[in-house]
Amino acid sequence: MSERRANLEGKFEKAPSGSWKNIIRVTVGGKIHYITGTAKTKSEAAQKAKANLARKGFAFTTETDDKEEGMKTVETSFMEFFEKQSSGWQETTKRVRLDFYRLMILNKIGHLYVKDLNARVVNDMFSSWSEQYCNDNISKSYSFFIKYLKDRMKKGVINDFLLSI
């Protein structure tokens, strides 16, 4: 399944009209979504399904394999995510926020593997913040880390545990 998912092949069905339908099953946040594309040939149907997948925001990046991403440490994975997200920021903002993220997030859980992230670990990290940092820093770090978690869940690297946070 991971091989099929990485290639975005999905399942092909032939309609009575003679056209092909490509069905891609995607699980995001514990919900199963079926994305389809219909055309005269299999390759065209696959292209349309991939376009629909991207349009709905479920497209997978084929740059990294899920297993490879799960075996990265949180620090490595988070820094890659940070670089992509902060590309339009001013250098001073980028440096200041990175300092906060290192202090608040990476020093606490940076050594863990991404696949080992769960609600207990994240909740422990969040509860330690309230004793040490001001509300503004907590708010910024919390929202950015939740964005990071959602990105990892969307890629299928970790399971959805946001409701437990």
Side-chain angles (χ1 to χ4, degrees):
M1 180 63 186
S2 64
E3 195 174 299
R4 175 174 279 185
R5 182 175 153 189
N7 295 331
L8 299 176
E9 292 173 6
K11 175 182 171 187
F12 288 93
E13 292 180 354
K14 185 133 182 160
S17 64
S19 61
W20 286 95
K21 185 176 191 177
N22 182 221
I23 305 167
I24 300 173
R25 178 182 168 182
V26 182
T27 305
V28 177
K31 290 184 178 181
I32 297 174
H33 301 273
Y34 294 94
I35 310 298
T36 62
T38 307
K40 292 181 181 180
T41 65
K42 279 186 176 182
S43 61
E44 288 175 358
Q47 287 175 348
K48 286 188 177 184
K50 288 177 192 176
N52 290 338
L53 195 68
R55 193 174 316 120
K56 294 198 181 251
F58 297 139
F60 297 108
T61 59
T62 54
E63 298 167 7
T64 58
D65 183 40
D66 289 346
K67 291 179 183 176
E68 181 183 312
E69 182 68 25
M71 292 306 292
K72 289 181 181 177
T73 62
V74 171
E75 182 171 15
T76 304
S77 175
F78 186 84
M79 290 305 293
E80 290 171 2
F81 178 76
F82 179 80
E83 286 302 318
K84 287 179 186 173
Q85 294 297 312
S86 66
S87 61
W89 296 359
Q90 292 181 357
E91 282 303 312
T92 53
T93 303
K94 191 175 181 178
R95 190 180 67 248
V96 167
R97 290 219 181 134
L98 182 58
D99 289 344
F100 281 119
Y101 299 149
R102 281 188 198 284
L103 186 66
M104 297 175 76
I105 298 168
L106 300 180
N107 286 346
K108 303 278 185 197
I109 62 171
H111 63 283
L112 295 174
Y113 290 112
V114 174
K115 66 181 176 76
D116 294 335
L117 284 176
N118 58 46
R120 185 185 55 77
V121 169
V122 173
N123 282 332
D124 288 347
M125 179 183 69
F126 289 158
S127 65
S128 72
W129 289 359
S130 62
E131 303 159 2
Q132 299 175 335
Y133 307 109
C134 72
N135 288 341
D136 188 43
N137 292 339
I138 291 173
S139 176
K140 287 176 184 169
S141 297
Y142 175 84
S143 61
F144 195 78
F145 191 71
I146 293 298
K147 193 174 186 180
Y148 165 76
L149 290 176
K150 286 181 180 178
D151 184 67
R152 299 302 106 169
M153 289 173 197
K154 186 176 176 181
K155 289 184 175 185
V157 178
I158 56 176
N159 294 327
D160 188 351
F161 56 81
L162 289 179
L163 294 177
S164 302
I165 295 177

